[in-house]
Amino acid sequence: MQVWQGLGQVPPGTGPSVVTIGNFDGVHAGHREVLARVVSEARTRGALAVAMTFDPHPAVVHRPGEAPPQLTGLADKLTLLAETGLDAVLVVAYTADFAAQPAERFVRRYLVDSLAPVLVVVGHDVRFGAGNAGDRATMAQLGERFGFEVDVLEDVLDPDEQRRWSSTWARALLAEGNVEELAELLGRPHHMRGAVVHGEARGRQLGFPTANLDPASAGAVPADGVYAGWLVRDGGAGDRLPAAISVGTNPTFDGETRQVEAHVIGRTDLDLYGEEVVVEFVALLRPTLRFDGIDPLVAQMHADCARALAILGVAR
């Protein structure tokens, strides 16, 4: 899959194409159905299957204090988009100037002149252009003027719950710590990606050394608690190791800084400092608790590790 970082990287003469537009945060099941439609139509029409996405999320520009946490960083989003069979992704830098352009200018410059679409696939609630003045009717009118068809898709529903698949739903599940249901929506375990940084080394002193994720790591942080999951080395390309993952402030030690730290179960010999790792959340084991002393904490940590191994299907 080609990745074009801005219009300047789109090769001259690109097209014809089938294009869809969206943030695609998490690339969840609903996104994948839409993208499958784009790929199928592109193959039928002998065209390129292209997705346009934005970085950062528009809410960061319009509502900086209220922007939702992003389920995936851009690098992971692009990897997930590539898995859908798309031919290319155009990443548009979302700025106040970009948002201020009229709807017709956006369509002409970013679609017609650059991608030569024969079909544009949009959701029924699509909005674009200054003040979100453009909608699906606007897109249809511009399609007639510029010579492309418009396919308006209704919401994609979870077949069991009859609820709209959405990034908002995914974030709600994450805020509950319900990573098992979240995995069903995403089609994979939720994960974070980041460098391992030095912490207070308290876990090592207790016999449970942890890999502390850089606070700037990509991927939304789930609810406080202890999770069963995996730590994958070498940026997700290396060894896949069973882990007990703690999210929270370490209340037993009166901690104040919220941390994500993963203990690779049964390993005390790993030196992960500075390494980029992926931490996957498979199941919530328990909420964060405050213990009356070291001994009950250590006993609980042993129990957490045993239960995590059982959930992950790893023999002790």
Side-chain angles (χ1 to χ4, degrees), residues 204-249:
R204 184 170 296 280
Q205 296 167 10
L206 299 176
F208 295 87
T210 60
N212 294 265
L213 283 189
D214 187 328
S217 296
V221 181
D224 288 3
V226 177
Y227 297 82
W230 302 92
L231 181 146
V232 191
R233 301 192 64 178
D234 192 20
D239 293 338
R240 187 177 176 84
L241 306 171
I245 307 157
S246 172
V247 179
T249 60

Side-chain angles (χ1 to χ4, degrees), residues 8 71 77 90 96 108 130 144 168 183 197 211 255 267 282 289 293 299 307:
L71 297 166
K77 178 164 70 172
L90 171 59
R108 186 176 63 250
E144 290 182 5
T168 300
V197 298
R267 298 289 297 272
V282 174
L289 302 172
R307 188 173 168 213

Side-chain angles (χ1 to χ4, degrees):
M1 184 185 78
Q2 299 180 69
V3 177
W4 301 320
Q5 296 282 354
L7 288 182
Q9 292 189 2
V10 179
T14 292
S17 68
V18 174
V19 184
T20 190
I21 306 165
N23 293 305
F24 305 113
D25 186 28
V27 195
H28 56 64
H31 292 144
R32 291 197 302 278
E33 284 208 16
V34 172
L35 294 166
R37 176 74 163 270
V38 170
V39 172
S40 175
E41 288 286 347
R43 299 296 174 262
T44 299
R45 298 165 183 256
L48 294 174
V50 181
M52 181 190 301
T53 192
F54 307 101
D55 185 51
H57 191 286
V60 174
V61 174
H62 296 296
R63 304 185 305 279
E66 304 171 17
Q70 296 304 285
L71 297 166
T72 51
L74 179 60
D76 284 319
K77 178 164 70 172
L78 292 172
T79 297
L80 294 167
L81 289 173
E83 293 173 358
T84 68
L86 288 168
D87 297 304
V89 172
L90 171 59
V91 181
V92 175
Y94 197 94
T95 64
D97 287 343
F98 172 83
Q101 65 186 321
E104 180 180 337
R105 174 178 166 79
F106 163 72
V107 169
R108 186 176 63 250
R109 183 180 181 200
Y110 283 83
L111 297 178
V112 177
D113 293 347
S114 300
L115 302 173
V118 292
L119 174 67
V120 176
V121 180
V122 296
H124 69 92
D125 55 353
V126 65
R127 308 295 298 203
F128 58 96
N132 279 335
D135 59 12
R136 60 181 181 176
T138 310
M139 186 68 79
Q141 292 165 5
L142 292 172
E144 290 182 5
R145 183 185 309 175
F146 293 119
F148 60 82
E149 298 176 44
V150 176
D151 189 0
V152 179
L153 302 182
E154 296 303 315
D155 289 339
V156 182
L157 304 180
D158 179 299
D160 297 321
E161 298 196 23
Q162 289 301 298
R163 178 176 178 177
R164 177 177 180 262
W165 271 318
S166 70
S167 300
T168 300
W169 182 14
R171 293 187 194 100
L173 292 172
L174 198 65
E176 298 169 1
N178 190 350
V179 294
E180 292 177 273
E181 188 173 343
L182 177 60
E184 295 178 11
L185 191 156
L186 296 178
R188 66 188 180 282
H190 174 69
H191 71 259
M192 296 182 65
R193 174 188 300 276
V196 177
V197 298
H198 288 277
E200 297 180 2
R202 192 173 287 123
R204 184 170 296 280
Q205 296 167 10
L206 299 176
F208 295 87
T210 60
N212 294 265
L213 283 189
D214 187 328
S217 296
V221 181
D224 288 3
V226 177
Y227 297 82
W230 302 92
L231 181 146
V232 191
R233 301 192 64 178
D234 192 20
D239 293 338
R240 187 177 176 84
L241 306 171
I245 307 157
S246 172
V247 179
T249 60
N250 292 319
T252 301
F253 300 98
D254 297 319
E256 297 181 355
T257 302
R258 194 165 184 243
Q259 297 177 316
V260 178
E261 46 189 327
H263 166 64
V264 176
I265 301 172
R267 298 289 297 272
T268 59
D269 59 324
L270 296 175
D271 181 4
L272 300 173
Y273 292 120
E275 183 174 329
E276 183 182 84
V277 299
V278 169
V279 173
E280 297 181 357
F281 299 85
V282 174
L284 177 64
L285 299 174
R286 61 172 175 85
T288 298
L289 302 172
R290 184 185 184 95
F291 293 89
D292 295 326
I294 299 300
D295 290 343
L297 170 61
V298 170
Q300 182 62 59
M301 292 168 77
H302 280 292
D304 292 339
C305 290
R307 188 173 168 213
L309 290 177
I311 289 172
L312 299 171
V314 177
R316 298 200 64 170

